[in-house]
Coordinates of all heavy atoms in Angstrom, one line a residue:
L76 N 51.0 48.3 -3.3 CA 50.6 48.0 -1.9 C 49.1 47.9 -1.8 O 48.4 48.6 -2.6 CB 51.1 49.1 -0.8 CG 52.7 49.2 -0.7 CD1 53.1 50.2 0.2 CD2 53.3 47.8 -0.4
P77 N 48.5 47.2 -0.8 CA 47.1 47.1 -0.6 C 46.5 48.5 -0.5 O 47.0 49.3 0.2 CB 46.9 46.2 0.6 CG 48.2 45.5 0.7 CD 49.3 46.4 0.2
D78 N 45.3 48.6 -1.1 CA 44.6 49.9 -0.9 C 43.7 49.9 0.3 O 42.5 49.8 0.3 CB 43.7 50.2 -2.1 CG 43.0 51.4 -2.1 OD1 43.4 52.4 -1.3 OD2 42.0 51.7 -2.9
N79 N 44.5 50.0 1.5 CA 43.8 49.9 2.8 C 44.6 50.8 3.7 O 45.7 50.5 4.1 CB 43.9 48.4 3.4 CG 43.2 48.3 4.6 OD1 43.0 49.2 5.4 ND2 42.6 47.1 4.9
T80 N 44.1 52.0 4.0 CA 44.8 53.0 4.9 C 45.1 52.5 6.3 O 46.0 52.8 6.9 CB 44.0 54.3 4.8 OG1 42.7 54.1 5.2 CG2 43.9 54.9 3.4
V81 N 44.0 51.8 6.8 CA 44.1 51.3 8.2 C 45.3 50.3 8.2 O 46.1 50.3 9.2 CB 42.8 50.7 8.7 CG1 43.0 50.1 10.0 CG2 41.7 51.7 8.6
L82 N 45.3 49.4 7.3 CA 46.4 48.4 7.3 C 47.8 49.1 7.1 O 48.8 48.7 7.6 CB 46.1 47.3 6.2 CG 47.2 46.2 6.0 CD1 47.4 45.5 7.3 CD2 46.8 45.4 4.8
A83 N 47.8 50.0 6.2 CA 49.1 50.8 5.9 C 49.6 51.5 7.1 O 50.8 51.5 7.5 CB 48.9 51.7 4.8
A84 N 48.7 52.1 7.9 CA 49.1 52.7 9.2 C 49.6 51.7 10.2 O 50.5 51.9 10.9 CB 47.9 53.5 9.7
A85 N 49.0 50.4 10.3 CA 49.4 49.5 11.2 C 50.8 48.9 10.7 O 51.6 48.7 11.7 CB 48.4 48.3 11.1
V86 N 51.1 48.8 9.5 CA 52.3 48.3 9.0 C 53.4 49.4 9.4 O 54.5 49.0 9.8 CB 52.3 48.1 7.5 CG1 53.7 47.8 7.0 CG2 51.4 46.8 7.2
Q87 N 53.1 50.7 9.1 CA 54.0 51.7 9.4 C 54.4 51.8 10.9 O 55.5 52.0 11.3 CB 53.6 53.0 8.9 CG 53.4 53.1 7.3 CD 52.8 54.3 6.8 OE1 52.7 55.3 7.6 NE2 52.2 54.3 5.6
K88 N 53.4 51.6 11.7 CA 53.6 51.6 13.1 C 54.5 50.4 13.6 O 55.4 50.6 14.4 CB 52.3 51.5 13.9 CG 52.4 51.6 15.4 CD 51.0 51.5 16.1 CE 51.2 51.6 17.7 NZ 49.9 51.7 18.3
L89 N 54.2 49.2 12.9 CA 55.1 48.1 13.3 C 56.5 48.4 12.9 O 57.5 48.0 13.6 CB 54.5 46.9 12.5 CG 55.4 45.6 12.7 CD1 55.3 45.2 14.2 CD2 54.9 44.4 11.8
V90 N 56.8 49.0 11.8 CA 58.2 49.4 11.4 C 58.9 50.3 12.4 O 60.0 50.1 12.8 CB 58.1 50.0 9.9 CG1 59.5 50.5 9.6 CG2 57.7 49.0 8.9
E91 N 58.1 51.2 12.9 CA 58.6 52.2 13.9 C 58.8 51.4 15.2 O 59.9 51.6 15.9 CB 57.6 53.3 14.1 CG 57.4 54.2 12.8 CD 56.3 55.1 13.0 OE1 55.6 55.1 14.1 OE2 56.0 56.0 12.2
Q92 N 57.9 50.5 15.6 CA 58.1 49.7 16.8 C 59.4 48.8 16.7 O 60.1 48.7 17.7 CB 56.9 48.9 17.1 CG 55.7 49.7 17.5 CD 54.4 48.8 17.6 OE1 54.2 48.0 16.8 NE2 53.6 49.1 18.5

Side-chain angles (χ1 to χ4, degrees):
L76 298 176
D78 186 16
N79 184 333
T80 56
V81 177
L82 179 59
V86 170
Q87 293 171 21
K88 182 178 180 181
L89 178 65
V90 171
E91 296 171 358
Q92 290 171 318

